[in-house]
Amino acid sequence: MPMIRTHLVPPSAAGWSLVVHGGAGGRIAELSAQRTSAFRAGLTAAHGAGADVLSAGGSAVDAVCAAVGALEDDPLFNAGRGAALTLQGTVELDASIMTGDGRAGAVAVVDRARSPIRVARHVMEATPHVLLASPDDALVEAAGVELMDPDYFVTEARRRQLERILADEEAPLTHGTVGAVARDSAGRIVAGTSTGGISKQLRGRIGDTPIIGAGTWARDGVVGISCTGDGEAFIQGAVAHDVFARMAYGRQSVAEAASSTFAAECDTRGSTGGLIAVTGDGSVLLCHNSAMMLAAFSQDGETVTWV
Ligand code: ASP
């Protein structure tokens, strides 16, 4: 049975909170020192982009888009450029965002938008819908997001990785995904998640990331959550909403709630992954039953990376 790990950070004196993640999976020993420092640099830059917004008095929704957008642009992470490839070698991106007042937007099977999280935000703010598959170019442009050639997203590293997976030399990528959760100084909580899914996935496969209540959830005064891991299990277990429900109705602490959800919904399915959360009082939680989780948050005024 995988071990469930939690790390809780008390609310900071700054009056706002922000945590970002870059996926959960593998074993730390599998990461070379060079890759570890590259991951740390990417996480620190993304956290910094969101922290700049919040420290200037900006909103949680802007901070989440800034942090997730930075990770989407970083080819090391499984979102935006550098995403995992489908069986056919193409990229199909998913993203979602939810604000703590109950609004949400999501996109799936995106292949041209440079920043899927910003398109998800546009779905939330400017359309009557919550989830759009294959959003058309006009909608991406209306969101103010750059349209890219689909080749932009496909990196040489992911091409070689898919070749190794297809030759049975490597297990499919089952971790990756990026996300951010913020609580701004007005107390508004926002969670956002963005992914390329799982390498070698079938065309049209959609994981938990754009499914509100599975990969992403936010409710002001309670918690915001962004998940990563075996997407099918996170959908079947409605993981993000399950943690919220244990807190809101079962009166559990965020650490108890997240561990109970992992035990009940992931361990029982033999599935692994992780989540980040920010609570109504601004505490930050990391929880994972995978061997490792990539994340960054502030603690005692310093940016801490968790690799
Ligand atoms: N949860 C993502 C998905 O299933 C993958 C991941 O987080 O690694 O698409």
Side-chain angles (χ1 to χ4, degrees), residues 8 10 12 37 41 51 53 66 69 84 94 97 121 129 136 139 148 157 167 170 182 201 206 211 248 268 286:
L8 184 69
S12 86
S37 59
V53 173
D94 302 334
I97 190 160
R121 177 181 180 168
H129 308 305
D136 60 29
L139 187 108
M148 312 304 285
E170 189 175 316
Q201 68 185 9
I206 296 170
I211 307 298
T268 50
L286 312 183

Side-chain angles (χ1 to χ4, degrees), residues 78 174-177 195 197-198 205 207-209 227-232:
N78 176 18
T174 55
H175 56 91
T177 296
T195 192
I198 294 177
R205 178 262 181 193
D208 60 313
T209 300
C227 300
T228 174
D230 297 332
E232 281 68 11

